[in-house]
């Protein structure tokens, strides 16, 4: 039997995502009520500019006083889609204190203060759900913390930012340079006027922190994630990648150490073989590749941003939280029992592709090989091209630690025959 008293929802933010959440709540009201077991009612919408016309939203619901809205006491669920750290953090905390559960899409806040927010939710017996914070419409958080709860996850590697994937895909498919591809992404609306958060990896790093925490039952903060942007990736890097049967993606990688005693979380450009499923992810799409003991290899793929896709994830959480509310229960909270240490980037072991500008004369290769050997870095392949006294030397290593590779590069720069290090890129997915 359906309960007739509606569950009341407060919406914080009514931009691209918030307006879609409101629209779907209205147009799919009957279906949502049937799935939840009670009607859901939009009880208030907090915005910064109340004079803006918002189609389909009763102006009487609009307010600029978000704090008063979440303090009302009759609100069952607060949906936070304003982003940023403050006032979102204070509003979410206030919502818990006044009896509401929370659905959020705020990756930056969750990566920075997720543990504290989970503690607040638990203290007040409320839910904190955030499927939309990591990969838009792609169901990812719920599978990791519920469907795979009985499994041991060893690695999560993915493309979690559509803007960067669009840019790199354009460079790969057309031979365009970075700036040219970024300009096209901006013109098409894939990149913000200030694309720093995307292209410098801040957005992906926040998502990596959230994913690592869930996958490894360990608190991982944004500061624990190694981050490297993609502005230095060149058309020459893509040519080199193609010669190796690879492409280049900006990856978020979270993994356990081989002995299982620690974890790492990192974001950086990497070459991946064309045979890897992530290599075929095109345009502004996202995909996450999960490796676990029992389930093996799983891949989640779909649109990772945009109003409707992100609203889909928000509404999925809203349905789950409302069901919990009706049953007097809460869903899964934070699971950080493993408390594994997060290793620094220097301990990460992977393969490397190094391109050197060298003098075109006898003995250069021997000198370079000696430096690699002295630092314990084994060489897999070497390719040399040159004329008129100048040459390029491309070295692909076997697996080596970041620290040992850094020492190797520092020593190479001191050789008289090495004119410069053109590029260094990690090779993943093998």
């Amino acid at each position: 039997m359906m309960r007739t008293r509606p569950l009341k929802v407060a919406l914080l933010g009514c931009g691209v995502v918030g307006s879609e959440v409101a629209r779907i709540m209205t147009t799919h009201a009957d279906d949502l009520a049937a799935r939840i077991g009670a009607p859901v009612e939009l009880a208030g919408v907090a915005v910064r500019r109340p004079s803006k016309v918002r189609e389909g939203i009763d102006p009487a619901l609009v307010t600029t006083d978000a704090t008063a809205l979440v303090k009302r006491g009759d609100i069952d669920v607060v949906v936070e889609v304003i982003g940023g750290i403050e006032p979102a953090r204070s509003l979410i905390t206030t919502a818990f204190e006044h009896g509401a559960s929370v659905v959020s899409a705020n990756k930056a806040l969750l990566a920075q203060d997720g543990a504290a927010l989970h503690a607040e939710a638990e203290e007040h017996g409320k839910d904190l759900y955030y499927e939309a914070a990591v990969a838009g419409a792609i169901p990812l958080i719920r599978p990791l913390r519920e469907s795979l709860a009985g499994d041991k996850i060893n690695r999560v590697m993915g493309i979690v930012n559509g803007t960067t994937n669009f840019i790199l895909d354009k460079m790969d498919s057309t031979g365009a340079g970075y700036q040219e591809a970024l300009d096209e992404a901006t013109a098409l609306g894939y990149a913000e006027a200030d694309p720093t958060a995307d292209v410098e990896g801040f957005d992906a790093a926040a998502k990596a922190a959230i994913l690592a925490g869930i996958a490894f039952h360990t608190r991982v903060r944004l500061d624990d994630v190694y981050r490297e942007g993609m502005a230095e990736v060149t058309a020459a890097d893509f040519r080199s990648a193609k010669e190796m049967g690879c492409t280049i993606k900006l990856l978020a990688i979270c993994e356990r150490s081989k002995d299982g005693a620690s974890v790492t979380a990192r974001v950086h450009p990497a070459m991946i073989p064309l045979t890897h499923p992530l290599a075929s992810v095109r345009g502004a799409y996202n995909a996450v590749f999960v490796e676990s003991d029992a389930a093996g290899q799983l891949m989640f793929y779909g649109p990772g941003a945009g109003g409707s896709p992100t609203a889909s994830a928000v509404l999925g959480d809203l349905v789950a939280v409302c069901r919990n509310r009706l049953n007097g229960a809460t869903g899964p909270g934070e699971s950080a029992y493993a408390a594994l240490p997060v290793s620094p980037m220097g301990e990460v072991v992977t393969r490397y592709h190094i391109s050197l500008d060298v003098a075109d004369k006898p003995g250069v290769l021997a000198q370079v090989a000696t430096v690699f050997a002295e630092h314990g870095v084994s060489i897999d392949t070497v390719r040399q091209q040159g004329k008129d006294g100048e040459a390029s030397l491309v070295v692909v290593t076997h697996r080596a630690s970041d620290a040992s590779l850094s020492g190797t590069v520092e020593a190479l720069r001191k050789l008289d025959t090495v004119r410069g290090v053109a590029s260094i890129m990690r090779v993943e997915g093998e």
Side-chain angles (χ1 to χ4, degrees), residues 198-210:
D198 295 324
V199 301
E200 293 299 328
F202 291 101
D203 176 84
K207 296 171 179 178
I210 295 169

Side-chain angles (χ1 to χ4, degrees), residues 226 228 244 266 268-269 271 345-355 372 377-381 394-406 409 423-428 430:
Y226 171 83
E228 185 180 317
M244 291 178 57
R266 50 198 166 99
H268 53 72
M271 293 183 180
M345 187 62 187
E347 297 179 14
V348 171
V349 175
T350 188
R351 297 180 67 205
Y352 289 87
H353 176 283
I354 305 103
S355 180
F372 276 87
V377 179
S378 175
I379 294 175
D380 182 18
T381 62
V394 175
V395 179
V396 179
T397 74
H398 288 291
R399 293 177 66 83
S401 72
D402 189 81
S404 62
L405 197 281
S406 295
V409 172
S423 69
I424 303 170
M425 192 166 294
R426 296 167 184 87
V427 182
E428 300 284 349
E430 295 185 317

Side-chain angles (χ1 to χ4, degrees), residues 126-144:
K126 298 296 177 284
D127 276 323
L128 173 62
Y129 276 44
Y130 43 90
E131 185 68 68
V134 173
I138 305 173
L140 185 58
I141 290 177
R142 193 170 288 116
L144 288 178

Side-chain angles (χ1 to χ4, degrees), residues 330-347:
T330 56
E334 183 190 32
S335 175
Y337 73 90
L340 296 171
V342 182
S343 297
M345 187 62 187
E347 297 179 14

